[in-house]
């Protein structure tokens, strides 16, 4: 009931304001379990996709969104519950991954739609990054549910980092045909199979999105970008300090020259 109310209010508002276009809605089953595997360009992806579907989609979210204290914390928790987010404790990397997988399996086994971002985090530059072989593939192979590739289009342009007000423009959503990995069911302990399944899904997402593919993890790319930004900042600071020293030396030289002239 809460999900329906939130979908009507938030989803309706998003569709009215941004008018997202959609292709491939017929690939979403009217009933029964499925896994929606999407690229991840923006925080808003988890809202635009459910907004255009008739069925509920369940994503996972940080447990902190559900446990913050005070009135604001309660409102935040109610919001995330209302839009179909499941809390997962991410305090430990391995524990977080296992919790996410268990949550996904529960959603799928109950006959629901489970949404997941194989890249594991938002793209730092709009390109498509290597999928992590843990969550998506393990949920698919443990349940035998079909995997439906999804491509979010231009959602990162609506509210880029640092921009307060969102830009009113039409994002797009392309939904591909279901992929059947039931031939590998029960083989979720084989890392080569997990890698193969993940790569096949990422290839389909790439075809749908038209993104440039980068064969590294997005988390590694983010670290590299952060390191490069830090190096540039340190270099700029060093240049500024060197310029200050040069100015001081020049000023000292001018003073000495003036004194000698006066003498």
């Amino acid at each position: 009931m809460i999900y329906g109310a939130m979908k009507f209010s938030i989803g309706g508002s998003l569709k009215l304001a941004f008018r997202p276009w959609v292709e491939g809605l017929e690939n979403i089953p009217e009933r029964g379990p499925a896994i929606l595997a999407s690229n991840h360009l923006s925080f808003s992806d988890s809202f635009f996709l459910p907004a255009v579907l008739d069925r509920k989609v369940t994503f996972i979210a940080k447990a902190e969104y559900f446990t913050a204290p005070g009135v604001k914390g309660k409102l935040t928790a109610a919001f995330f519950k209302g839009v179909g987010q499941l809390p997962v404790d991410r305090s430990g990397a391995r524990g977080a991954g296992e919790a996410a997988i268990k949550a996904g399996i529960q959603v799928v086994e109950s006959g629901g739609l489970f949404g997941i971002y194989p890249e594991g985090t938002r793209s730092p530059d709009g390109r498509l990054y290597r999928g992590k072989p843990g969550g998506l593939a393990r949920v698919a192979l443990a349940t035998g549910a079909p995997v439906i590739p999804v491509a979010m289009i231009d959602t990162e342009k609506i509210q880029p980092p640092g921009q307060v007000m969102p830009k009113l423009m039409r994002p797009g959503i392309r939904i591909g045909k279901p992929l059947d990995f039931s031939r590998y069911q029960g083989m979720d302990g084989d890392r080569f199979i997990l890698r193969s399944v993940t790569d096949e899904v990422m290839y389909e997402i790439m075809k749908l999105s038209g993104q440039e593919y980068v064969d590294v993890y997005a988390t590694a790319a983010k670290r590299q970008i952060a390191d490069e930004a830090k190096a540039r900042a340190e270099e700029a600071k060093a240049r500024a300090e060197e310029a200050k020293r040069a100015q001081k030396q020049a000023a000292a030289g001018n003073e000495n020259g003036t004194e000698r002239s006066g003498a």
Side-chain angles (χ1 to χ4, degrees), residues 198-221:
T198 305
D199 288 345
E200 184 175 339
V201 174
M202 297 309 296
Y203 179 71
E204 294 300 322
I205 294 175
M206 181 187 70
K207 289 197 300 182
L208 290 169
S209 68
Q211 292 170 279
E212 177 186 348
Y213 179 75
V214 185
D215 196 25
V216 299
Y217 293 123
T219 48

Side-chain angles (χ1 to χ4, degrees), residues 148-226:
I148 301 174
V150 177
M152 307 301 295
I153 312 291
D154 291 336
T155 53
E156 82 283 9
K157 297 176 182 177
I158 291 175
Q159 194 171 13
Q163 182 173 313
V164 179
M165 293 299 293
K167 179 181 180 181
L168 287 179
M169 59 175 290
R170 294 189 73 188
I173 302 171
R174 288 197 183 100
I175 303 169
K177 295 185 180 299
L179 303 174
D180 181 13
F181 296 109
S182 59
R183 63 191 182 279
Y184 298 131
Q185 189 169 358
M187 301 176 67
D188 50 312
D190 188 322
R191 62 188 181 93
F192 295 105
I193 295 295
L194 295 177
R195 181 77 264 163
S196 177
V197 168
T198 305
D199 288 345
E200 184 175 339
V201 174
M202 297 309 296
Y203 179 71
E204 294 300 322
I205 294 175
M206 181 187 70
K207 289 197 300 182
L208 290 169
S209 68
Q211 292 170 279
E212 177 186 348
Y213 179 75
V214 185
D215 196 25
V216 299
Y217 293 123
T219 48
K222 284 185 175 182
R223 283 195 299 269
Q224 182 179 349
I225 291 171

Side-chain angles (χ1 to χ4, degrees), residues 8-205:
F8 178 78
S9 58
I10 297 175
S13 299
L14 285 175
K15 288 196 289 185
L16 182 64
F18 294 95
R19 299 179 300 115
W21 55 265
V22 191
E23 296 176 359
L25 273 176
E26 68 277 4
N27 294 319
I28 302 294
E30 294 183 2
R31 62 184 64 85
I35 302 165
L36 305 186
S38 173
N39 61 339
H40 199 11
L41 297 172
S42 167
F43 176 76
S44 63
D45 294 337
S46 298
F47 304 114
F48 277 113
L49 180 56
V52 301
L53 302 181
D54 293 332
R55 295 183 60 186
K56 178 180 178 179
V57 185
T58 301
F59 288 89
I60 56 174
K62 293 187 294 185
E64 293 89 324
Y65 289 145
F66 300 81
T67 58
V71 175
K72 182 179 179 180
K74 291 181 179 179
L75 291 174
T76 301
F79 171 78
F80 278 95
K81 288 178 182 177
V83 295
Q85 306 277 318
L86 277 178
V88 172
D89 184 0
R90 300 183 180 183
S91 56
R94 184 171 180 80
E98 292 299 325
I101 291 166
K102 288 180 180 178
I105 291 173
Q106 288 175 357
V107 172
V108 173
E109 288 184 341
S110 67
L113 297 179
F114 178 59
I116 188 170
Y117 302 113
E119 292 167 280
T121 186
R122 279 174 277 176
S123 170
D125 54 15
R127 296 185 294 176
L128 184 68
Y129 285 83
R130 193 181 196 201
K132 294 190 173 183
L136 164 65
R138 284 184 60 187
V139 174
L141 301 189
T143 62
V147 178
I148 301 174
V150 177
M152 307 301 295
I153 312 291
D154 291 336
T155 53
E156 82 283 9
K157 297 176 182 177
I158 291 175
Q159 194 171 13
Q163 182 173 313
V164 179
M165 293 299 293
K167 179 181 180 181
L168 287 179
M169 59 175 290
R170 294 189 73 188
I173 302 171
R174 288 197 183 100
I175 303 169
K177 295 185 180 299
L179 303 174
D180 181 13
F181 296 109
S182 59
R183 63 191 182 279
Y184 298 131
Q185 189 169 358
M187 301 176 67
D188 50 312
D190 188 322
R191 62 188 181 93
F192 295 105
I193 295 295
L194 295 177
R195 181 77 264 163
S196 177
V197 168
T198 305
D199 288 345
E200 184 175 339
V201 174
M202 297 309 296
Y203 179 71
E204 294 300 322
I205 294 175

